[in-house]
Amino acid sequence: YPLNYFNLPLHYRDDLKSVLIPYGLVQDRIEALASRIFSDLHIHIPEQLICMCVLKGGYRFFSDLVSKIQNENRLRNDRSLPMSLEFIRVRSYVNDRSTDAIDIIGISDLSSLNNKHLLIIEDIIDTGVTMVALKKELEKYNPKTIHVVSLFTKRRKDKKCIFKPDYSGFEVPDHFIVGYALDYNEYFRDLEHICVMKESGITKYKVQDGDKVE
Ligand code: 5GP
Ligand code: MG
Ligand code: MG
């Protein structure tokens, strides 16, 4: 979509090329995901599904997905999906490139995963390297089941993706996208819509290699 259809913050207006997915469309899609996940993963009370937010990029998606599952819970009398909420931080990206060195920073006490159902809630899967590493790490804590939902998966030109999530919101073209908590070197998280950056924006916010950002 052309930029002039939207109210974009002044501080990013010159850095963006286009709006790829407007906020409202993201919300509609998350509603559909919530209903799928609710139908597939409903479990017996008092068991809980552990919803794990992968910070920082996943926080808006996590928050909206959990609240839409809560809506399902309010409206249904035949089944239910009790949830508990956990958080983890994963860092890998420098500028717009994936790196192999991934830091996983536990925020929750991961021993709580033992024998529980786990849903990992992630923003985007590109090469899949991050999710393979994260899943391997979390498996050490012996959850009963692991499901992964990613709001975006990237249609890579080289077709090299080593992980397929159980649920995906949108397949996006092979561009670096920002907005809705997805960042470029910590910028653009405070943007509602999913946008593609201009070359000039990429240059403007570039950092030295070696500085890691999540
Ligand atoms: P992967 O390990 O699958 O290559 O990359 C996973 C992580 O890199 C994602 O969780 C996300 O934090 C970051 N990432 C990958 N592609 C993009 C993108 O297009 N935009 C942004 N903002 N982050 C991305
Ligand atoms: Mg992420
Ligand atoms: Mg990031």
Side-chain angles (χ1 to χ4, degrees):
Y1 301 89
L3 292 179
N4 58 8
Y5 288 12
F6 301 89
N7 281 324
L8 295 166
L10 180 63
H11 52 279
Y12 293 141
R13 228 170 269 171
D14 292 340
D15 307 322
L16 302 170
K17 189 164 20 186
S18 61
V19 174
L20 185 66
I21 309 172
Y23 175 80
L25 189 51
V26 171
Q27 295 303 309
D28 271 23
R29 185 66 188 124
I30 296 175
E31 209 164 280
L33 282 175
S35 135
R36 271 275 311 279
I37 289 169
F38 182 87
S39 307
D40 290 357
L41 305 187
H42 67 276
I43 42 187
H44 299 291
I45 305 164
E47 264 194 307
Q48 290 174 314
L49 176 71
I50 299 187
C51 295
M52 182 170 282
C53 174
V54 184
L55 294 169
K56 298 175 186 175
Y59 104 91
R60 293 288 300 269
F61 176 42
F62 171 84
S63 163
D64 288 333
L65 183 68
V66 166
S67 71
K68 287 180 199 302
I69 295 174
Q70 284 176 211
N71 285 343
E72 296 275 336
N73 278 327
R74 286 192 299 115
L75 299 169
R76 302 281 292 252
N77 289 314
D78 55 336
R79 56 179 65 163
S80 212
L81 182 49
M83 295 173 284
S84 68
L85 313 180
E86 300 287 356
F87 299 83
I88 198 161
R89 258 178 95 177
V90 175
R91 294 197 290 193
S92 67
Y93 254 62
V94 178
N95 294 324
D96 54 355
R97 296 272 168 276
S98 237
T99 65
D100 287 344
I102 287 153
D103 300 337
I104 296 171
I105 307 157
I107 294 195
S108 313
D109 175 9
L110 295 177
S111 63
S112 65
L113 299 184
N114 186 40
N115 210 26
K116 299 276 176 57
H117 298 284
L118 173 64
L119 176 66
I120 302 173
I121 302 177
E122 171 69 305
D123 51 359
I124 181 165
I125 291 172
D126 181 10
T127 61
V129 169
T130 303
M131 194 44 72
V132 167
L134 178 60
K135 209 174 157 185
K136 199 169 145 204
E137 177 64 24
L138 295 177
E139 273 163 1
K140 292 182 190 159
Y141 298 88
N142 298 312
K144 206 185 283 181
T145 60
I146 304 183
H147 288 88
V148 175
V149 56
S150 182
L151 183 54
F152 305 107
T153 44
K154 219 176 257 188
R155 206 181 306 123
R156 290 179 62 85
K157 288 194 196 94
D158 63 7
K159 303 251 176 350
K160 278 194 191 128
C161 179
I162 59 169
F163 187 85
K164 202 173 174 305
D166 301 282
Y167 304 94
S168 164
F170 300 89
E171 206 184 48
V172 295
D174 199 355
H175 300 304
F176 195 77
I177 59 172
V178 293
Y180 192 66
L182 281 82
D183 74 313
Y184 176 71
N185 294 335
E186 297 303 325
Y187 290 90
F188 303 99
R189 294 197 199 275
D190 57 331
L191 174 68
E192 289 304 297
H193 307 289
I194 296 295
C195 297
V196 177
M197 296 171 69
K198 272 189 199 158
E199 221 27 71
S200 63
I202 292 183
T203 310
K204 180 169 161 191
Y205 296 106
K206 230 181 187 80
V207 299
Q208 296 297 317
D209 275 16
D211 293 348
K212 279 196 179 183
V213 282
E214 55 268 70

